[in-house]
């Protein structure tokens, strides 16, 4: 027994060391950590339990029968993150470039099945060269098994992808199907076809970073929800996100102690938000003033920046915040913002995270490019996500809320539970200037002084249809509140709504306007 244990320890030690010191040096030379260094940063110290460490591939041909390293290029297992169970698989680029073969895929399949059965989050650390060409179609089938399991687990357990190296071809759809994608600048790339293929087909010359780098995906494509400067920061952010998520869709997100008083007055809001609806401000300052300790986890912070989506806490309870950003395009809704908001609302609803919507929106972005791009269809995604959400939903109208954008930003008419407004609110079909030009166009044109007539009609329109209490008088706003009371009103409202039960009609699923 003792000799057998000694042999076992040596085999495991060899598997943990990896193929060679030179392979490890090459990994570090690229600015990347090894697979086990990454897992040490992700999990609580000493908590990771590896499974199938000694598995080897059984493929033959092209020299594979002579190269059968343990782990087959992926480390799988579970451990604790902030004391809670989390499952993870991590590609080892030092072994076959982290490429996926039959055994490699089988290990990931087993882990995904375990994560779903145990009802615990799944994290994938991606650093691989895609399908293992030498294994042919079995490698492709392995990816299919991952995709199918990811879709099955969607909305059941949180799924997080961390891209720390190359991720190309069909492999990119594994992160794309998960809830959040993290990427590291300079070392992470994702694309369907690489620069060489692009150049051969289109004649376009482009670098790996320009085509699929973290910066591009964080600002242009919106594929990356979080972009970090290095792996240590990235994995620390993953840990922080996991601390705000429930283990599965049958549990609530963990409640954290806060010394921030629930009845704290937010007096700073009186100066943060200018009363002039045309003057900009940073809505993130408003969010930080309202939530516990000013702590906010923003997703897609540099993509579709005219809408802010973030996780935060109110009285220790996790909430999802959706807010128009007046400092970018005046906070209008456009195609990217609609998709960003819809995805976030849908995630929060899937995992029972209440929604707080802060409204200051002048409408949808007009223009040929938006119409040709399908703003009707894409804007409907955000509308659909809100209408379909059964979690507690509270709306706060800070200033302007015009036209269809007012409706889409979780108005009472589409099912928000409570709607509050500040005294600076303006809710209307459009701004007073535009409305006066439409309604009184002929009268203004015929007036001796058109400018004076227009100014008078604008004033009348505001007094009649856009004053701060117009919506409250008609029951479309539940109360007009002092901005300083926003935090305490939200906390009281969400506490009341914690037992909300709003079952959806019996159906297989709705038909989201994709």
């Amino acid at each position: 027994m003792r000799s057998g244990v000694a042999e076992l320890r040596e085999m495991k030690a060899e598997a943990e060391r990896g193929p060679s010191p030179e392979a490890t040096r090459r990994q570090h030379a690229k600015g990347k950590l090894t697979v086990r260094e990454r897992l040490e940063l992700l999990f609580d110290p000493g908590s990771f339990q590896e499974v199938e460490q000694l598995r080897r591939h059984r493929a033959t041909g092209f020299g594979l029968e002579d190269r059968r390293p343990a782990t087959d290029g992926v480390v799988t297992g579970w451990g604790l993150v902030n004391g809670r169970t989390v499952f993870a698989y991590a590609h080892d680029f030092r072994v076959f470039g982290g490429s996926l073969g039959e055994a490699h895929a089988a290990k990931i399949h087993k882990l995904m099945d375990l994560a779903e059965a145990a009802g615990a989050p799944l994290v994938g650390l991606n650093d691989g060269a895609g399908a293992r060409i030498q294994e042919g179609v079995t490698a492709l089938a392995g990816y299919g098994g991952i995709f199918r399991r990811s879709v099955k687990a969607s909305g059941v357990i949180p799924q997080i992808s961390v891209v720390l190296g190359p991720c190309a071809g069909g492999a990119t759809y594994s992160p794309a199907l998960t809830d959040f994608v993290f990427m590291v600048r300079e070392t992470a790339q994702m694309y369907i076809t690489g620069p060489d293929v692009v150049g051969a087909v289109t004649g376009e010359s482009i670098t790996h970073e320009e085509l699929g780098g973290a910066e591009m995906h964080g600002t242009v494509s919106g594929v990356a929800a979080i972009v970090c400067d290095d792996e240590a920061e990235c994995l620390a952010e993953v840990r922080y996100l996991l601390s705000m998520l429930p283990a599965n869709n049958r549990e609530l997100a963990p409640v954290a102690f806060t010394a921030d008083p629930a009845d704290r007055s937010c007096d700073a809001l009186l100066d943060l938000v200018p009363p002039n609806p045309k003057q900009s401000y940073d809505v993130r300052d408003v969010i930080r003033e309202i939530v516990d300790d000013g702590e906010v986890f923003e997703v897609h912070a540099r993509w579709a920046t005219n809408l802010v989506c973030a996780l935060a806490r109110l009285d220790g309870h996790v909430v999802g915040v959706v807010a128009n950003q007046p400092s970018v395009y005046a906070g209008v809704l456009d195609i990217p913002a609609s998709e960003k908001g819809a995805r976030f609302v849908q995630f929060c609803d899937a995992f029972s995270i209440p929604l707080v919507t802060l409204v200051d929106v002048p409408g949808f972005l007009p223009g040929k490019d938006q119409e040709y791009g399908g703003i009707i269809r894409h804007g409907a995604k955000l509308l659909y996500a809100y209408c379909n959400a059964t979690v507690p939903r509270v709306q706060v109208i800070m200033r302007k809320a015009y036209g269809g954008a007012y409706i889409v930003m979780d108005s009472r008419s589409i099912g928000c539970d409570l709607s509050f407004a500040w005294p600076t609110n303006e809710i209307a079909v459009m701004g007073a200037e535009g409305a006066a030009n439409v309604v009184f166009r002929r009268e203004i044109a015929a007036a001796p002084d058109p400018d004076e007539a227009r100014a008078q009609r604008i004033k009348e329109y505001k007094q009649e249809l856009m004053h701060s209490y117009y919506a409250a008088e008609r029951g479309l706003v539940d109360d007009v509140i002092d901005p300083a009371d926003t935090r305490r009103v939200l906390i009281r409202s969400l506490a009341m709504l914690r037992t909300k039960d709003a079952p959806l009609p019996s159906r297989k699923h709705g038909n989201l306007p994709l």
Side-chain angles (χ1 to χ4, degrees):
M1 179 66 76
R2 292 181 186 276
S3 63
V5 169
E7 180 183 12
L8 172 64
R9 287 176 177 170
E10 177 54 32
M11 291 175 66
K12 291 197 169 188
E14 181 182 354
E16 291 175 6
R17 284 193 299 267
S20 69
E22 178 58 29
T24 299
R25 281 193 293 269
R26 287 196 300 268
Q27 183 82 349
H28 287 159
K30 295 175 183 176
K32 300 193 296 184
L33 300 176
T34 65
V35 62
R36 298 187 185 278
E37 289 169 341
R38 291 165 174 167
L39 292 168
E40 287 175 3
L41 289 173
L42 176 62
F43 289 104
D44 298 347
S47 69
F48 183 66
Q49 174 64 54
E50 188 172 353
V51 293
E52 294 202 359
Q53 183 186 61
L54 302 179
R55 185 154 189 170
R56 304 173 191 269
H57 74 76
R58 55 188 178 184
T60 58
F62 305 101
L64 285 179
E65 62 272 16
D66 300 323
R67 299 176 58 202
R68 300 181 64 242
T71 74
D72 199 48
V74 64
V75 177
T76 57
W78 74 89
L80 301 178
V81 175
N82 301 311
R84 303 165 67 218
T85 299
V86 172
F87 288 77
Y89 66 86
H91 299 142
D92 189 346
F93 194 81
R94 301 170 301 167
V95 178
F96 296 128
S99 61
L100 182 139
E102 180 188 27
H104 182 122
K107 291 178 64 173
I108 297 176
H109 295 169
K110 175 181 282 188
L111 190 82
M112 297 179 79
D113 291 340
L114 282 172
E116 184 182 356
L122 174 68
V123 177
L125 305 184
N126 296 265
D127 184 10
R132 194 172 300 166
I133 298 172
Q134 300 94 321
E135 295 197 30
V137 71
T138 56
L140 297 178
Y143 274 123
I146 293 173
F147 302 158
R148 177 169 57 85
R149 287 170 172 81
S150 186
V151 172
K152 183 183 176 187
S154 181
V156 178
I157 57 173
Q159 299 179 79
I160 298 172
S161 292
V162 187
V163 183
L164 303 166
C167 184
T172 58
Y173 288 110
S174 179
L177 290 170
T178 58
D179 299 307
F180 297 98
V181 176
F182 289 71
M183 294 185 73
V184 175
R185 289 185 177 90
E186 298 184 3
T187 58
Q189 294 100 32
M190 293 176 66
Y191 36 65
I192 297 296
T193 53
D196 294 340
V197 176
V198 170
V201 174
T202 69
E204 183 180 7
S205 177
I206 191 168
T207 67
H208 290 274
E209 195 66 24
E210 291 171 335
L211 184 63
E215 199 66 22
M216 189 283 288
H217 283 306
T219 59
V220 180
S221 73
V223 170
I226 309 293
V227 175
C228 301
D229 290 327
D230 56 56
E231 294 190 17
E233 177 195 351
C234 184
L235 293 170
E237 289 290 283
V238 173
R239 285 177 58 89
Y240 183 60
L241 173 59
L242 286 167
S243 74
M244 305 187 79
L245 302 181
N248 54 65
N249 65 343
R250 301 181 302 278
E251 298 182 9
L252 297 177
V255 180
F257 169 78
T258 178
D260 196 348
D263 59 352
R264 170 172 58 82
S265 181
C266 300
D267 297 320
L269 294 179
L270 300 173
D271 299 315
L272 279 175
V273 180
N276 182 355
K278 295 182 178 180
Q279 191 172 344
S280 71
Y281 61 94
D282 192 338
V283 77
R284 291 173 295 188
D285 294 332
V286 174
I287 297 170
R288 284 190 285 264
E289 176 64 21
I290 293 171
V291 303
D292 293 354
D293 306 306
E295 293 186 1
V296 175
F297 186 88
E298 186 177 355
V299 299
H300 294 293
R302 298 180 63 199
W303 176 64
T305 51
N306 42 323
L307 191 75
V308 173
C309 296
L311 293 171
R313 283 190 167 92
L314 283 170
D315 198 27
H317 296 268
V318 177
V319 296
V321 180
V322 180
N324 303 113
Q325 176 57 291
S327 66
V328 181
Y329 304 139
V332 296
L333 290 177
D334 58 4
I335 290 172
S338 298
E339 291 191 330
K340 173 179 174 177
R343 174 75 169 170
F344 184 74
V345 168
Q346 186 169 265
F347 172 81
C348 290
D349 185 53
F351 291 100
S352 301
I353 297 173
L355 288 162
V356 173
T357 304
L358 305 179
V359 183
D360 191 348
V361 61
F364 281 94
L365 181 64
K368 182 181 74 173
D369 290 343
Q370 289 292 303
E371 297 296 346
Y372 281 18
I375 183 62
I376 296 171
R377 174 168 49 87
H378 294 288
K381 294 177 183 178
L382 180 57
L383 177 61
Y384 188 102
Y386 267 125
C387 289
N388 201 50
T390 61
V391 292
R393 294 153 51 189
V394 182
Q395 178 197 51
V396 179
I397 302 171
M398 299 179 294
R399 294 194 310 186
K400 56 190 177 297
Y402 296 159
Y406 153 67
I407 301 173
V408 169
M409 289 297 293
D410 205 19
S411 64
R412 279 290 303 276
S413 59
I414 67 169
C416 87
D417 298 293
L418 291 168
S419 177
F420 300 100
W422 291 356
T424 46
N425 82 83
E426 290 184 356
I427 307 172
V429 174
M430 61 177 67
E433 291 83 359
N437 288 335
V438 172
V439 176
F440 306 109
R441 176 173 55 86
R442 293 181 179 178
E443 179 182 329
I444 292 172
D449 188 342
D451 291 339
E452 181 181 348
R454 181 181 294 105
Q456 179 62 31
R457 288 305 189 183
I458 290 172
K459 181 180 179 181
E460 291 175 4
Y461 188 86
K462 284 185 175 181
Q463 291 174 342
E464 289 294 324
L465 297 176
M466 290 182 63
H467 63 81
S468 301
Y469 306 99
Y470 184 85
E473 290 172 358
R474 285 151 181 80
L476 297 175
V477 165
D478 291 289
D479 197 10
V480 179
I481 63 173
D482 182 342
D485 293 334
T486 303
R487 173 178 167 84
R488 67 169 66 101
V489 168
L490 286 174
I491 288 175
R492 290 174 180 174
S493 300
L494 292 171
M496 178 273 293
L497 290 167
R498 209 156 284 143
T499 54
K500 175 184 175 180
D501 182 22
L504 290 170
S506 178
R507 60 183 176 185
K508 187 173 183 180
H509 57 74
N511 189 15
L512 176 68
L514 295 172

